[in-house]
Amino acid sequence: IGASVGVAQYGKDLIKLKQILSTLYESSKFKPSLVAPGGFYEKYWYERLLQVSGSSIINVLTHHLYNLGQDSDEHLERKILDPERLSRVESIFSNLSETIKIYGPWSSAWVGEAGGAYNSGGNHVSNRFLNSFCAVLWHRLMGKKVLAVSSDVHIKDFYLQLENVSRS
């Protein structure tokens, strides 16, 4: 499903979400970071988002990184061997860093999603490698233990805050 929210509305929604998080975690010693937007970097859109949302709303500005393009591209094998194409990642980071420096110095840049080709990778190019890499990475990072997680904020309070926002 292809759906999108305009940058002005998205920024306003993030302000409301930050207010909800501040209320919920007011007396908590742990404060969550607001991580957004989770899409491909578009200079104007990201600049506008930081302008609309304002100071200290977005803690972490994320973007997707699939430098080979779509999985069904018939030229994937050629693209993965092209050093110039693979080096374009540097310009994305450079542009995003500049956007943050000018419009959102309170925020930091993260890659929210990454891979070779989006839509599950490309046959004979990134599907097998990424799947096996992810399995190894998951095993090494997660192991066989489950860590206990706790919070002093209750999910019921979160939903009550959301209801209050939707009424206003």
Coordinates of all heavy atoms in Angstrom, one line a residue, residues 102-150:
I102 N 22.2 22.6 9.5 CA 21.5 23.9 9.3 C 20.1 24.0 10.0 O 19.8 25.0 10.6 CB 21.3 24.1 7.8 CG1 22.7 24.3 7.1 CG2 20.4 25.4 7.5 CD1 22.7 24.3 5.6
Y103 N 19.3 22.9 9.9 CA 17.9 22.9 10.3 C 17.6 22.2 11.6 O 16.6 22.4 12.2 CB 17.0 22.4 9.2 CG 17.1 23.2 7.9 CD1 17.9 22.8 6.9 CD2 16.4 24.4 7.8 CE1 18.0 23.6 5.7 CE2 16.4 25.2 6.7 CZ 17.2 24.8 5.6 OH 17.3 25.5 4.5
G104 N 18.5 21.3 12.0 CA 18.2 20.5 13.2 C 19.4 20.0 14.0 O 19.6 18.8 14.2
P105 N 20.2 21.0 14.5 CA 21.5 20.5 15.2 C 21.2 19.7 16.4 O 22.2 19.2 17.0 CB 22.2 21.9 15.4 CG 21.2 22.9 15.4 CD 20.1 22.4 14.4
W106 N 20.0 19.7 16.9 CA 19.7 18.9 18.1 C 19.5 17.4 17.8 O 19.4 16.6 18.7 CB 18.4 19.5 18.8 CG 17.3 19.5 17.8 CD1 16.4 18.5 17.5 CD2 16.9 20.6 16.9 NE1 15.6 18.8 16.5 CE2 15.8 20.1 16.1 CE3 17.4 21.9 16.8 CZ2 15.2 20.9 15.2 CZ3 16.8 22.7 15.8 CH2 15.7 22.2 15.1
S107 N 19.5 17.1 16.5 CA 19.2 15.8 16.1 C 20.5 15.1 15.6 O 21.4 15.7 15.2 CB 18.2 15.9 14.9 OG 17.7 14.6 14.6
S108 N 20.4 13.8 15.5 CA 21.5 13.0 14.9 C 21.0 12.1 13.8 O 19.8 11.8 13.7 CB 22.2 12.2 16.0 OG 21.3 11.3 16.5
A109 N 21.9 11.7 12.9 CA 21.5 10.9 11.7 C 21.7 9.4 12.0 O 22.8 9.0 12.4 CB 22.3 11.4 10.5
W110 N 20.7 8.6 11.6 CA 20.8 7.2 11.7 C 20.3 6.6 10.4 O 19.4 7.2 9.8 CB 20.0 6.6 12.8 CG 20.5 6.8 14.2 CD1 21.5 7.5 14.6 CD2 19.9 6.2 15.3 NE1 21.6 7.4 16.0 CE2 20.6 6.7 16.5 CE3 18.8 5.4 15.6 CZ2 20.3 6.3 17.8 CZ3 18.4 5.0 16.8 CH2 19.2 5.5 17.9
V111 N 20.8 5.5 10.0 CA 20.2 4.7 8.9 C 19.1 3.8 9.5 O 19.4 3.0 10.4 CB 21.3 3.8 8.2 CG1 20.6 3.0 7.1 CG2 22.3 4.7 7.5
G112 N 17.9 4.0 9.1 CA 16.8 3.3 9.7 C 16.6 1.9 9.1 O 16.2 1.0 9.7
E113 N 16.8 1.9 7.8 CA 16.8 0.6 7.0 C 17.9 0.7 6.0 O 18.2 1.7 5.5 CB 15.5 0.5 6.2 CG 14.3 0.0 7.0 CD 13.1 -0.2 6.0 OE1 13.2 -0.5 4.8 OE2 12.0 0.0 6.5
A114 N 18.5 -0.5 5.7 CA 19.5 -0.5 4.7 C 19.6 -1.9 4.1 O 19.2 -2.9 4.7 CB 20.9 -0.2 5.3
G115 N 20.1 -2.0 2.9 CA 20.3 -3.2 2.2 C 20.8 -2.9 0.8 O 21.0 -1.8 0.4
G116 N 21.0 -3.9 0.0 CA 21.4 -3.7 -1.3 C 20.3 -3.2 -2.2 O 20.2 -2.0 -2.5
A117 N 19.3 -4.0 -2.4 CA 18.1 -3.6 -3.2 C 16.9 -3.7 -2.4 O 16.7 -4.7 -1.6 CB 18.0 -4.5 -4.5
Y118 N 16.0 -2.7 -2.5 CA 14.8 -2.8 -1.7 C 13.7 -3.8 -2.3 O 13.9 -4.2 -3.4 CB 14.1 -1.5 -1.4 CG 13.7 -0.6 -2.6 CD1 12.5 -0.8 -3.2 CD2 14.6 0.3 -3.2 CE1 12.1 0.0 -4.2 CE2 14.2 1.0 -4.3 CZ 12.9 0.9 -4.8 OH 12.6 1.6 -5.9
N119 N 12.8 -4.2 -1.5 CA 11.8 -5.2 -1.8 C 12.4 -6.6 -1.7 O 12.2 -7.4 -2.6 CB 11.1 -5.0 -3.2 CG 10.2 -3.8 -3.2 OD1 9.7 -3.3 -2.2 ND2 9.9 -3.3 -4.4
S120 N 13.1 -6.8 -0.7 CA 13.6 -8.2 -0.4 C 14.9 -8.5 -1.1 O 15.3 -9.7 -1.2 CB 12.6 -9.3 -0.6 OG 11.5 -9.0 0.2
G121 N 15.6 -7.6 -1.7 CA 16.9 -7.9 -2.3 C 16.7 -8.4 -3.7 O 15.6 -8.6 -4.2
G122 N 17.8 -8.5 -4.4 CA 17.8 -8.9 -5.8 C 18.3 -10.3 -6.0 O 19.3 -10.6 -5.4
N123 N 17.6 -11.0 -6.8 CA 18.1 -12.4 -7.1 C 19.5 -12.4 -7.6 O 19.9 -11.7 -8.5 CB 17.1 -13.1 -8.1 CG 17.2 -14.6 -8.1 OD1 17.6 -15.1 -7.1 ND2 16.8 -15.2 -9.2
H124 N 20.3 -13.3 -7.1 CA 21.7 -13.5 -7.4 C 22.6 -12.3 -7.1 O 23.8 -12.3 -7.4 CB 21.9 -13.8 -8.9 CG 21.1 -14.9 -9.4 ND1 21.3 -16.2 -9.0 CD2 20.0 -15.0 -10.3 CE1 20.4 -17.0 -9.6 NE2 19.6 -16.3 -10.4
V125 N 22.1 -11.4 -6.3 CA 22.9 -10.2 -6.0 C 22.9 -10.0 -4.5 O 23.9 -10.0 -3.9 CB 22.4 -8.9 -6.7 CG1 23.1 -7.7 -6.2 CG2 22.5 -9.0 -8.2
S126 N 21.7 -9.8 -3.9 CA 21.7 -9.4 -2.4 C 20.8 -10.3 -1.6 O 20.9 -10.2 -0.4 CB 21.4 -8.0 -2.2 OG 20.1 -7.7 -2.7
N127 N 20.0 -11.2 -2.2 CA 19.1 -12.0 -1.4 C 19.8 -13.0 -0.5 O 19.6 -13.0 0.7 CB 18.0 -12.6 -2.3 CG 18.6 -13.5 -3.3 OD1 19.8 -13.4 -3.7 ND2 17.8 -14.4 -3.9
R128 N 20.6 -13.8 -1.0 CA 21.3 -14.8 -0.2 C 22.3 -14.3 0.7 O 22.4 -14.6 1.9 CB 21.9 -15.9 -1.2 CG 20.9 -16.7 -1.9 CD 21.6 -17.6 -2.9 NE 20.6 -18.3 -3.7 CZ 20.0 -17.8 -4.7 NH1 20.2 -16.6 -5.1 NH2 19.1 -18.6 -5.4
F129 N 23.1 -13.3 0.3 CA 24.1 -12.7 1.1 C 23.5 -12.0 2.3 O 23.9 -12.2 3.4 CB 24.9 -11.7 0.3 CG 25.9 -10.9 1.2 CD1 27.0 -11.5 1.7 CD2 25.6 -9.6 1.5 CE1 27.9 -10.7 2.5 CE2 26.4 -8.9 2.3 CZ 27.6 -9.4 2.8
L130 N 22.5 -11.2 2.1 CA 21.9 -10.5 3.1 C 21.1 -11.4 4.1 O 21.2 -11.2 5.3 CB 20.9 -9.4 2.6 CG 21.5 -8.2 2.0 CD1 20.5 -7.2 1.5 CD2 22.4 -7.5 3.0
N131 N 20.4 -12.4 3.6 CA 19.7 -13.3 4.5 C 20.7 -14.0 5.4 O 20.5 -14.2 6.6 CB 18.9 -14.3 3.7 CG 17.7 -13.6 3.1 OD1 17.2 -12.6 3.5 ND2 17.1 -14.2 2.1
S132 N 21.8 -14.5 4.8 CA 22.7 -15.2 5.7 C 23.5 -14.3 6.6 O 23.7 -14.6 7.8 CB 23.7 -16.0 4.8 OG 24.5 -15.1 4.0
F133 N 23.8 -13.1 6.1 CA 24.4 -12.1 7.0 C 23.5 -11.7 8.2 O 24.0 -11.7 9.3 CB 24.8 -10.8 6.2 CG 25.3 -9.7 7.0 CD1 26.6 -9.8 7.5 CD2 24.5 -8.6 7.3 CE1 27.1 -8.7 8.3 CE2 25.0 -7.6 8.1 CZ 26.3 -7.7 8.6
C134 N 22.2 -11.5 7.9 CA 21.3 -11.1 8.9 C 21.2 -12.3 10.0 O 21.1 -12.0 11.1 CB 19.9 -10.8 8.4 SG 20.0 -9.2 7.5
A135 N 21.2 -13.5 9.5 CA 21.0 -14.6 10.4 C 22.2 -14.7 11.3 O 22.1 -14.9 12.5 CB 20.9 -15.9 9.6
V136 N 23.5 -14.5 10.8 CA 24.7 -14.6 11.6 C 24.7 -13.4 12.5 O 25.0 -13.6 13.7 CB 25.9 -14.5 10.7 CG1 27.2 -14.3 11.5 CG2 26.0 -15.8 9.9
L137 N 24.4 -12.2 12.0 CA 24.3 -11.0 12.9 C 23.3 -11.2 14.0 O 23.6 -10.9 15.2 CB 24.0 -9.8 12.1 CG 24.0 -8.5 12.8 CD1 25.4 -8.2 13.3 CD2 23.5 -7.3 11.9
W138 N 22.1 -11.7 13.7 CA 21.1 -11.9 14.7 C 21.6 -12.9 15.8 O 21.5 -12.6 17.0 CB 19.8 -12.5 14.1 CG 18.8 -12.8 15.1 CD1 18.5 -14.0 15.7 CD2 17.8 -11.8 15.6 NE1 17.5 -13.8 16.6 CE2 17.0 -12.6 16.5 CE3 17.5 -10.5 15.4 CZ2 16.0 -12.0 17.2 CZ3 16.5 -9.9 16.1 CH2 15.7 -10.7 17.0
H139 N 22.2 -14.0 15.4 CA 22.7 -15.0 16.3 C 23.8 -14.4 17.2 O 23.8 -14.6 18.4 CB 23.2 -16.2 15.5 CG 23.8 -17.2 16.4 ND1 23.0 -18.0 17.2 CD2 25.1 -17.6 16.7 CE1 23.8 -18.9 17.9 NE2 25.0 -18.6 17.6
R140 N 24.7 -13.6 16.6 CA 25.8 -13.1 17.4 C 25.3 -12.0 18.4 O 25.8 -11.9 19.5 CB 26.9 -12.5 16.5 CG 27.7 -13.6 15.8 CD 28.9 -13.1 15.2 NE 29.6 -14.2 14.6 CZ 30.6 -14.1 13.7 NH1 30.9 -12.9 13.3 NH2 31.2 -15.1 13.2
L141 N 24.4 -11.2 17.9 CA 23.9 -10.1 18.8 C 22.9 -10.6 19.9 O 23.0 -10.2 21.0 CB 23.2 -9.0 18.0 CG 24.1 -8.1 17.1 CD1 23.3 -7.2 16.2 CD2 25.1 -7.4 17.9
M142 N 22.1 -11.5 19.4 CA 21.0 -11.9 20.3 C 21.3 -13.1 21.1 O 20.9 -13.3 22.3 CB 19.7 -12.1 19.6 CG 19.2 -10.9 18.8 SD 19.0 -9.4 19.8 CE 17.6 -9.9 20.8
G143 N 22.0 -14.0 20.5 CA 22.4 -15.3 21.2 C 21.1 -16.1 21.6 O 20.1 -15.9 21.0
K144 N 21.2 -16.8 22.7 CA 20.1 -17.7 23.1 C 19.5 -17.2 24.4 O 18.6 -17.8 24.9 CB 20.6 -19.1 23.3 CG 21.1 -19.8 22.0 CD 21.5 -21.2 22.3 CE 22.0 -21.8 20.9 NZ 22.4 -23.2 21.1
K145 N 19.9 -16.0 24.9 CA 19.3 -15.5 26.1 C 18.3 -14.4 25.8 O 18.4 -13.7 24.8 CB 20.4 -14.8 26.9 CG 21.5 -15.8 27.4 CD 22.5 -15.2 28.3 CE 23.5 -16.2 28.8 NZ 24.5 -15.6 29.6
V146 N 17.3 -14.3 26.6 CA 16.4 -13.2 26.5 C 16.6 -12.3 27.7 O 16.6 -12.7 28.9 CB 14.9 -13.8 26.5 CG1 13.9 -12.6 26.5 CG2 14.7 -14.7 25.4
L147 N 16.7 -11.0 27.4 CA 16.9 -10.0 28.5 C 15.6 -9.5 29.1 O 14.6 -9.4 28.3 CB 17.7 -8.8 27.9 CG 19.1 -9.1 27.3 CD1 19.7 -7.9 26.7 CD2 20.0 -9.7 28.3
A148 N 15.6 -9.3 30.3 CA 14.4 -8.8 31.0 C 14.3 -7.3 30.6 O 15.2 -6.5 30.7 CB 14.4 -8.9 32.5
V149 N 13.1 -6.8 30.3 CA 12.8 -5.5 29.9 C 11.7 -4.9 30.8 O 10.7 -5.6 31.1 CB 12.4 -5.3 28.4 CG1 12.1 -3.9 28.1 CG2 13.5 -5.9 27.5
S150 N 11.9 -3.7 31.3 CA 10.8 -3.2 32.1 C 10.7 -1.7 31.9 O 11.6 -1.1 31.3 CB 11.1 -3.4 33.6 OG 12.3 -2.7 34.0

